[in-house]
Amino acid sequence: MIASSARSLLAASLAAVLFAPSALADSCAAPASVGPDGLDFYKPPSTLPDGEHGSLIWYRPYDDGSAAIAGGTNTLLLYTQVGIHGDTVATSGYMIVPDGDAPAGGWPVVTWAHGTTGIADPCAPTINDPASDDASRVLLTGWVSKGYAVVRTDYEGLGTPGDHPYLIGPSEARAVLDVVRAARQYDPRLGSRVVIAGHSQGGHAALWAASMAAGYTPELDVLATIAFAPANSLENEVSLLGIIGNTTAVSGTVALIVRGISVANASFDATSLLTPDALAHYPDTLTECSVYLDSNLSFGSVAANDILVAGASITDISAQLKDNDPKYLTTIPMPVLVLQGTSDATVFSFTTDAMVKNLLASGIDIVEQVYPGETHQGVLSAGYANATAYLDGAFNTLRNGEWVPSN
């Protein structure tokens, strides 16, 4: 006879083997393991998985992070994506699976792209989620409570090796899509039906992910895209810095934009374009997060019309920003909802209006919901009901002749 304690130990061991996420993973992928504690989690092994992009490297419970969402099981993920230079890189993110049993067809998935936090490693939301992101936590908590699994990427280079290519569309898109692959490898209860959503930089990322999904992750059935105040028309905004005047409201973001271009293109020499005041704070972009960059200790002390030297040629900046501007996307095969506040001082409502008109002219199924008087952050709360109704409608739709409910 086996002693009671021994039987319990044997049963626990069998359960760990049979029901561990790696055991349930796609048989084509190498089994993932539990990752290390602390910041070591973000340091990938010297050899990354040989499988497809979106391969899970390792995972661990995520119950001690400020970004964790209530109402489900939070899990931190490290996974692969195609990086900005075409190589395979490790990217971090996390997933929230609702409590209870998955519906037929698996949990419907929302992949959420976060707004600007910075470029430095400590700015990854899973490491240091900013208080300014409270509105998106409320939004996502509500979606989890309705029965949607949520996955969130930190983006390439945020927390993980390499610099984050800020507002470089293809890099963001791959991060947003590959975290879904990694999450489904970890937990096969996640279905293939997906809605892409995001705010600010994340709205920019969501639109790019929508345009690339069919070719990059063809197994995913992306039903719709929701973009809150998506960054757009940046090439026009940079050219208006002199007209904007002595305001410092956008200075930190402009510094990140310049750094992002230099990360994507090593031949771009930003130092020749920056004034001495801006140049003195430029190293902050690699060590500090947006809150600090926007403060008087950094770019919050540099006026918009004192970032670039007088007469500086911005041809290279404008060309690269245009290449990464969602305004000029020509193919988004699924419906898109854009939500924009009229008092947004970060993403201007008139540029978003122009972007929507441009995408409509390209034949994209896009609608814009405008919120009078709402700010860049305020649009998340103001647009919650409309975005949620749109989300519900996307998952409650007729597909292949069958009515597919969201839960």
Side-chain angles (χ1 to χ4, degrees), residues 171-185:
S171 169
E172 295 173 334
R174 294 168 188 148
V176 167
L177 295 168
D178 276 329
V179 72
V180 182
R181 275 193 171 182
R184 296 184 70 217
Q185 182 182 332

Side-chain angles (χ1 to χ4, degrees), residues 328-392:
Y328 301 108
L329 293 171
T330 57
T331 303
I332 298 180
M334 73 288 298
V336 178
L337 171 66
V338 172
L339 306 102
Q340 176 69 48
T342 61
S343 295
D344 192 327
T346 302
V347 175
F348 302 121
S349 60
F350 70 89
T351 68
T352 298
D353 293 345
M355 180 197 74
V356 170
K357 289 178 182 176
N358 223 48
L359 296 179
L360 273 171
S362 295
I364 293 169
D365 180 3
I366 184 169
V367 295
E368 181 182 10
Q369 180 68 50
V370 177
Y371 300 89
E374 289 299 340
T375 63
H376 191 59
Q377 291 295 326
V379 71
L380 282 165
S381 299
Y384 173 79
N386 288 73
T388 302
Y390 195 82
L391 180 68
D392 291 342

Side-chain angles (χ1 to χ4, degrees), residues 119 164 254-264 282-286:
I119 284 177
H164 170 50
V254 171
L256 291 175
I257 290 170
V258 172
R259 178 68 78 179
I261 293 173
S262 69
V263 171
Y282 191 54
D284 293 348
T285 57
L286 294 180

Side-chain angles (χ1 to χ4, degrees), residues 59-81:
Y59 59 89
R60 76 165 193 238
Y62 185 62
D63 52 13
D64 58 349
S66 59
I69 301 295
T73 301
N74 289 248
T75 305
L76 194 61
L77 307 171
L78 190 71
Y79 62 96
T80 64
Q81 73 162 89

Side-chain angles (χ1 to χ4, degrees), residues 117-145:
T117 57
I119 284 177
D121 282 346
C123 311
T126 59
I127 296 175
N128 182 25
D129 204 29
S132 61
D133 204 32
D134 283 345
S136 72
R137 276 194 291 275
V138 171
L139 181 94
L140 298 180
T141 300
W143 289 353
V144 170
S145 71

Side-chain angles (χ1 to χ4, degrees), residues 47-67:
T47 301
L48 296 178
D50 292 331
E52 288 277 331
H53 54 81
S55 293
L56 183 62
I57 300 171
W58 53 46
Y59 59 89
R60 76 165 193 238
Y62 185 62
D63 52 13
D64 58 349
S66 59

